[in-house]
Amino acid sequence: MEQRATTTANWKAHREQLIALTQWTASGKLAVRTRDASESASMVWRQQDQNTQLQLSGPLGVGAMTIESDGKRLDIHQGDEHQTLDISTPDAIYTNTGWDLPLQALSHWLKGLPSPDTSVQHLELDPQTELLHSLTQDDWEVLYETYKQFQDYSLPTRLLIRRGTTRARVIISKWQTESD
């Protein structure tokens, strides 16, 4: 594991503050490109402890989809269709949907934290802001391009997430925290 400048007091305090942030909503856009497809959608991600609700929709609500997870199951609702998946194994989402994105890790990465469930291969802080600049976990590389202040939190607003031929760009325009 490679870590650079990760022992600063500011990073430790910031990390502890974000770990305690267990209820939040992030609104923005998500674009995913794989070897076979390229898709983009408006996104509303709601996190409450281990429970995730992700609403995705294309232009004018076309292709609207809701994904809910408790960390063990994944419920996908699209129109009249409903699918429930057991996601207790690492590749279950990809095997069943073709999406190569780590849902459980994303809830941490979006806040600017490493996932506690996977070892960190690389972590680098921005030397000026002492916020997470880049992270590698489970061969996923997460690059944090910009942060903004929302209430008492410095939170990411532009991220690039990639592994192999999968690239996801996340642009968050609004964060709501439990204290809002």
Side-chain angles (χ1 to χ4, degrees):
M1 174 172 76
E2 178 186 344
Q3 292 190 355
R4 292 188 212 155
T6 58
T7 58
T8 68
N10 288 345
W11 165 246
K12 287 180 181 179
H14 177 72
R15 185 183 69 208
E16 292 304 315
Q17 180 192 36
L18 292 181
I19 289 169
L21 179 60
T22 59
Q23 296 179 40
W24 50 268
T25 301
S27 304
K29 298 204 178 290
L30 170 68
V32 179
R33 179 182 300 161
T34 65
R35 176 185 353 240
D36 303 321
S38 180
E39 299 183 46
S40 62
S42 294
M43 161 191 100
V44 178
W45 185 301
R46 289 183 183 86
Q47 191 71 37
Q48 185 165 4
D49 301 314
Q50 296 300 316
N51 297 313
T52 300
Q53 182 188 57
L54 175 59
Q55 294 176 301
L56 299 170
S57 62
L60 302 173
V62 174
M65 176 186 298
T66 301
I67 300 170
E68 296 176 329
S69 177
D70 62 3
K72 297 178 179 82
R73 270 191 11 232
L74 184 71
D75 290 308
I76 303 169
H77 302 270
Q78 188 169 19
D80 294 335
E81 296 179 27
H82 175 246
Q83 183 179 14
T84 299
L85 307 174
D86 174 357
I87 58 169
S88 57
T89 60
D91 293 326
I93 294 174
Y94 179 70
T95 302
N96 289 285
T97 68
W99 306 335
D100 187 21
L101 287 174
L103 185 66
Q104 285 115 334
L106 281 172
S107 65
H108 301 281
W109 294 348
L110 288 178
K111 291 192 303 182
L113 286 175
S115 170
D117 302 323
T118 307
S119 66
V120 174
Q121 296 161 302
H122 167 81
L123 187 147
E124 182 179 348
L125 300 180
D126 181 291
Q128 293 176 333
T129 64
E130 296 185 1
L131 299 173
L132 194 54
H133 174 70
S134 65
L135 168 69
T136 305
Q137 283 190 286
D138 197 21
D139 295 325
W140 285 96
E141 182 181 15
V142 184
L143 302 172
Y144 295 89
E145 297 173 347
T146 59
Y147 286 81
K148 280 189 179 177
Q149 193 71 24
F150 294 89
Q151 269 44 50
D152 298 328
Y153 301 92
S154 289
L155 294 164
T157 54
R158 291 182 67 89
L159 298 85
L160 176 62
I161 302 165
R162 59 187 175 199
R163 179 173 80 171
T165 60
T166 299
R167 292 191 179 310
R169 170 143 331 261
V170 180
I171 300 172
I172 300 171
S173 56
K174 182 178 180 183
W175 279 93
Q176 290 179 283
T177 62
E178 60 199 14
S179 61
D180 291 355

